[in-house]
Amino acid sequence: MQAKCGKTCSKGSIYQRISNDMKVKEILGALEEFAPLALQDGYDNAGLQIGLAEDADATGALLCLDVTEDVVDEAVRKGCNLIVSHHPLLFRPLKSIAGRDYVERAVMKAIKQDVAIYAAHTNLDSAHGGVNFKMAEKLGLQDVEWLSPKMQYVRGEEELTAGEGIIGTLKTPMSQNEFMEKVKETFSIKSLRSNAASKQTISRVALCGGSGAFLIPKAVAAGADAFLTGEIGYHRFFGYEPYVLLLEMGHYESEQFTLEILRGIIAEKAPGLPILSTELKTNPIIYL
């Protein structure tokens, strides 16, 4: 049987594959069954961003946190006609597409190359088993529950609760320093920003991927010893010293394991499809 590959695959490429007759739109359906678009926040723009290839046979999926020009080039080079990202490429309306910035140029490249782009953003944050659950899993938190439950929704035949943030308990209580070192090791980061909290022992931990500082009051009310998120902001560090250890780890760093979730969803739907994680570091922030 002759192997079939994406339009840019060369003869003998490792990305050649036997066709599994999986449509791009079927993969998008699996993503939306896991994290329905109805769960996204009102300001968001999750979902299909560019869909000229939506009804095409899927040749491969490239996973990333952020879509850049280089990511689109990588997808084309590796024979993937679908990019699935966490952050939407199209977040604000475009009045024209003239290649004036990286967003417009990425859109132009994707359209020219028939690459579909899909974003699973705040809907994946809010979904059961989504971004925050993955963070909690990596830290080994037990008895996890939503910090702020939102609404009921259905996945398959199962009724689930959506929400914001997670709170759980460490298997073994730790000192502040021990917990901070665990966070650094787990998320492969060199430094954390923290407040001067008076908490000496950390047992109950709340967290939120990305920009979760708005949940700090709920973390305090729920009795969290520590609250971990990607971004907090200078002024929000004030006043919580007696109540909770605040840890700011970086937006990109907090959401890096999102690709594992996306991979699992797509692999279950299309087990024969090449699913690749970008080799590019799209984090725009450099630590010196």
Side-chain angles (χ1 to χ4, degrees):
M1 182 179 292
Q2 185 176 3
K4 178 180 178 182
C5 69
K7 61 186 277 186
T8 61
C9 286
S10 59
K11 186 176 181 180
S13 166
I14 61 172
Y15 297 105
Q16 288 181 338
R17 65 181 180 84
I18 296 173
S19 174
N20 62 7
D21 296 324
M22 179 62 61
K23 300 289 188 181
V24 169
K25 65 181 180 181
E26 294 178 272
I27 296 172
L28 305 190
L31 290 166
E32 292 183 8
E33 181 179 14
F34 185 92
L37 293 179
L39 301 185
Q40 71 178 308
D41 293 334
Y43 66 82
D44 201 7
N45 190 37
L48 185 63
Q49 307 265 291
I50 296 173
L52 295 184
E54 183 190 9
D55 197 40
D57 290 333
T59 62
L62 182 66
L63 313 179
C64 60
L65 284 183
D66 310 279
V67 180
T68 65
E69 296 171 76
D70 289 340
V71 169
V72 178
D73 287 338
E74 182 183 19
V76 174
R77 186 171 65 252
K78 294 179 175 178
C80 298
N81 64 347
L82 172 63
I83 295 173
V84 181
S85 69
H86 183 45
H87 298 133
L89 172 65
L90 298 175
F91 193 72
R92 297 175 180 84
L94 296 179
K95 293 185 178 180
S96 63
I97 302 176
R100 288 167 297 194
D101 59 28
Y102 85 91
V103 173
E104 293 182 11
R105 290 190 293 271
V107 169
M108 292 169 68
K109 283 188 176 184
I111 291 174
K112 286 180 180 178
Q113 298 293 336
D114 288 340
V115 175
I117 297 179
Y118 184 90
H121 192 210
T122 54
N123 55 318
L124 190 58
D125 293 331
S126 298
H128 185 87
V131 176
N132 297 309
F133 279 82
K134 180 60 71 172
M135 291 177 67
E137 174 191 320
K138 293 295 183 179
L139 284 172
L141 298 185
Q142 301 178 332
D143 303 320
V144 297
E145 58 185 355
W146 287 115
L147 188 58
S148 179
K150 289 170 63 175
M151 59 184 284
Q152 301 293 118
Y153 70 103
V154 176
R155 179 188 297 164
E157 298 180 356
E158 188 176 9
E159 186 170 323
L160 300 170
T161 301
E164 296 174 317
I166 286 290
I167 188 165
T169 305
L170 291 169
K171 184 176 180 179
T172 304
M174 300 179 177
S175 68
Q176 274 195 27
N177 287 341
E178 287 174 332
F179 179 67
M180 287 190 282
E181 287 301 321
K182 179 179 178 65
V183 171
K184 289 166 63 177
E185 179 181 358
T186 300
F187 292 88
S188 300
I189 54 180
K190 296 180 180 180
S191 64
L192 287 168
R193 287 157 56 102
S194 73
N195 65 346
S198 59
K199 291 276 186 178
Q200 297 302 310
T201 302
I202 307 300
S203 177
R204 192 96 165 124
V205 177
L207 57 81
C208 181
S211 302
F214 67 98
L215 289 170
I216 294 174
K218 288 187 179 292
V220 172
D225 300 311
F227 178 76
L228 173 67
T229 190
E231 297 179 54
I232 291 178
Y234 179 80
H235 293 287
R236 280 180 160 158
F237 272 100
F238 283 97
Y240 290 103
E241 295 84 359
Y243 310 110
V244 66
L245 173 68
L246 299 178
L247 297 178
E248 182 183 73
M249 63 186 299
H251 196 119
Y252 179 96
E253 290 79 4
S254 71
E255 297 177 335
Q256 62 185 284
F257 299 118
T258 302
L259 304 194
E260 294 183 11
I261 305 170
L262 298 174
R263 177 179 293 276
I265 297 168
I266 298 172
E268 183 176 355
K269 181 66 176 180
L273 184 75
I275 307 169
L276 312 175
S277 296
T278 181
E279 297 178 16
L280 304 172
K281 298 294 183 183
T282 60
N283 187 357
I285 298 172
I286 298 174
Y287 298 92
L288 301 176

